[in-house]
Amino acid sequence: QGRAAQARGRSPARQRCGLPPSPAGAAPSRHPQGMAPKKTAPKKAAPKTYDFSGLEVGMRVQAESDGTYFAAEVVAVSTSKSRARAPVKVSYKGYEGYDEWLGGDRIRSKALKVVVPEKKTEDRPAREAPHLIYFPLAGRGEVIRLIAAVGGVKITESSELPEGCTKDMYLSPGSIPLLKHGDLRMSQSTAIENYVATLAPKFRRLSPKQRAVDQQFACIKEEILGNCAKTIFVTMKADKGQAKKEFTELFDKWLPLLETRVPAEGFVHGGKLPTVADLCVLNITTGYMPFGAAVKHAGYDFGKYPKVMALSERTAKAESVAAFLASSTTAAANPMGCELGAGARQAAQGAAGGQLTRGVRDVRGW
């Protein structure tokens, strides 16, 4: 009976399951209980965004209704948020009184545009090393170099612009330092310092608060530097006595504040490595141009601030800083051929390991 049932297309298994007989000669189903394979639903296309600004009242369009497109006329175009899905009201030609609000997916017109979304591009760091353009002296370039050395960022440097570049490409009216990194071109020393610090892998764990403090020290350094430079290049030419007074007042304004803020031990953030704040203190106390030149002409003594000087020395002894100072000629570079004052010489010798004989004396600007 089983063989007979199979011959007639009704196997016992199909009989028990109550399934209809299979077609003659058909192969047995490979799916459980003869069920058809499940069809995978096609993925829905992303909804299109339309620009309705080209549609005007009275314009002829093709409007869809029940799968068929009819001639229609635009009656209104709404900009209300409540009509965002169907902002165009049309009237079907030949069907008086039958008006309908439609979305862009039901309208055909050359005046209706589909908005193509911009492809998101990741802001990937450039493969090439950041390139610094600055004179071979301390000035506004030294902290940038120190940040790169301590933070683990390899940079290249030159005193001339890359071929084909002009300073206005860097948003600079003429001053330096400048930085080029891939398609990024920028000016302003504090901005460059901050950018290089964000690239630094050894500074990646700094909190927003710590980075803010670093920038605070960087801005203080920049204010002292700018005022020193102004007095050197302007006031000293007219009145050296007044210049000495300005230098003294400037250092008396800022150094006592730094003395109360810097730690008696370790670094500003209490970490194992110095950060931008510590490097700015090192720069102020050891960079000859313009800090050392100002100290020399004012006869100022940084030794009055033992915590500041101790932090400077600890920073200079940090392994990465010491390695930088051992090969650097920029910290003590003396473009004006001046001798260091006693306070500046003592500070720079302690930080630079006596490397004061190295210098650049043929630079006519900074």
Side-chain angles (χ1 to χ4, degrees):
Q1 289 179 351
R3 285 194 295 272
Q6 287 178 352
R8 293 193 302 271
R10 292 190 63 89
S11 66
R14 294 182 69 85
Q15 285 180 328
R16 286 196 299 271
C17 294
L19 298 175
S22 59
S29 172
R30 294 183 181 180
H31 299 280
Q33 298 183 355
M35 295 176 62
K38 292 184 180 180
K39 293 183 178 180
T40 303
K43 293 183 179 179
K44 292 183 179 180
K48 294 180 180 180
T49 302
Y50 295 92
D51 178 8
F52 299 97
S53 61
L55 295 179
E56 298 177 357
V57 174
M59 186 174 288
R60 296 291 182 90
V61 297
Q62 293 287 315
E64 182 268 333
S65 179
D66 293 330
T68 303
Y69 281 85
F70 298 87
E73 182 179 308
V74 176
V75 176
V77 180
S78 175
T79 57
S80 173
K81 291 184 179 180
S82 62
R83 288 285 184 190
R85 292 186 178 182
V88 182
K89 187 177 183 180
V90 300
S91 175
Y92 293 93
K93 290 296 181 181
Y95 298 89
E96 300 300 329
Y98 188 74
D99 296 351
E100 189 176 8
W101 288 93
L102 304 179
D105 57 331
R106 294 179 59 191
I107 299 173
R108 288 177 181 172
S109 173
K110 291 183 179 180
L112 180 65
K113 306 296 182 182
V114 177
V115 179
V116 179
E118 295 182 1
K119 293 183 179 180
K120 294 183 179 180
T121 57
E122 295 182 4
D123 188 12
R124 297 178 180 178
R127 292 183 179 181
E128 66 188 68
H131 182 74
L132 175 67
I133 299 100
Y134 197 63
F135 298 121
L137 48 81
R140 287 188 163 94
E142 194 68 3
V143 172
I144 298 170
R145 300 179 186 112
L146 285 165
I147 291 171
V150 177
V153 179
K154 181 180 179 181
I155 64 172
T156 57
E157 184 175 346
S158 68
S159 57
E160 301 293 334
L161 282 167
E163 186 177 356
C165 288
T166 58
K167 289 180 179 178
D168 60 342
M169 293 179 178
Y170 294 76
L171 206 61
S172 170
S175 61
I176 55 176
L178 307 172
L179 187 83
K180 181 179 183 297
H181 191 205
D183 60 357
L184 172 67
R185 293 177 176 86
M186 62 187 302
S187 57
Q188 299 297 321
S189 53
T190 305
I192 295 172
E193 290 164 1
N194 183 51
Y195 177 70
V196 176
T198 60
L199 296 178
K202 294 185 180 179
F203 294 158
R204 68 181 184 276
R205 296 185 183 278
L206 291 177
S207 68
K209 179 180 178 181
Q210 289 172 323
R211 291 186 184 275
V213 171
D214 279 346
Q215 287 304 294
Q216 183 181 24
F217 273 74
C219 290
I220 291 172
K221 177 268 301 177
E222 192 67 20
E223 181 165 337
I224 298 173
L225 186 153
N227 282 283
C228 282
K230 179 180 178 181
T231 301
I232 289 172
F233 294 112
V234 179
T235 309
M236 280 190 63
K237 293 181 179 181
D239 188 340
K240 291 187 177 181
Q242 178 62 26
K244 179 177 180 178
K245 180 182 177 182
E246 289 180 8
F247 287 137
T248 301
E249 289 177 349
L250 177 64
F251 290 133
D252 283 346
K253 174 183 177 181
W254 286 108
L255 269 297
L257 292 174
L258 292 176
E259 180 73 7
T260 61
R261 177 62 179 81
V262 300
E265 298 179 356
F267 301 118
V268 171
H269 296 317
K272 296 180 179 180
L273 290 175
T275 63
V276 176
D278 309 288
L279 299 176
C280 286
V281 172
L282 175 68
N283 181 221
I284 293 168
T285 55
T286 65
Y288 182 78
M289 195 61 191
F291 307 108
V295 168
K296 183 258 181 184
H297 289 293
Y300 201 85
D301 182 15
F302 279 164
K304 296 188 294 183
Y305 309 103
K307 287 171 62 181
V308 169
M309 296 308 300
L311 175 60
S312 177
E313 292 176 6
R314 287 194 300 273
T315 303
K317 291 178 182 178
E319 184 177 355
S320 52
V321 179
F324 170 81
L325 294 175
S327 60
S328 173
T329 62
T330 53
N334 184 356
M336 301 176 71
C338 300
E339 290 297 324
L340 288 172
R345 174 176 292 278
Q346 181 182 4
Q349 283 178 332
Q355 302 287 336
L356 291 179
T357 57
R358 302 176 181 181
V360 179
R361 298 178 181 271
D362 59 353
V363 178
R364 293 294 178 265
W366 71 282

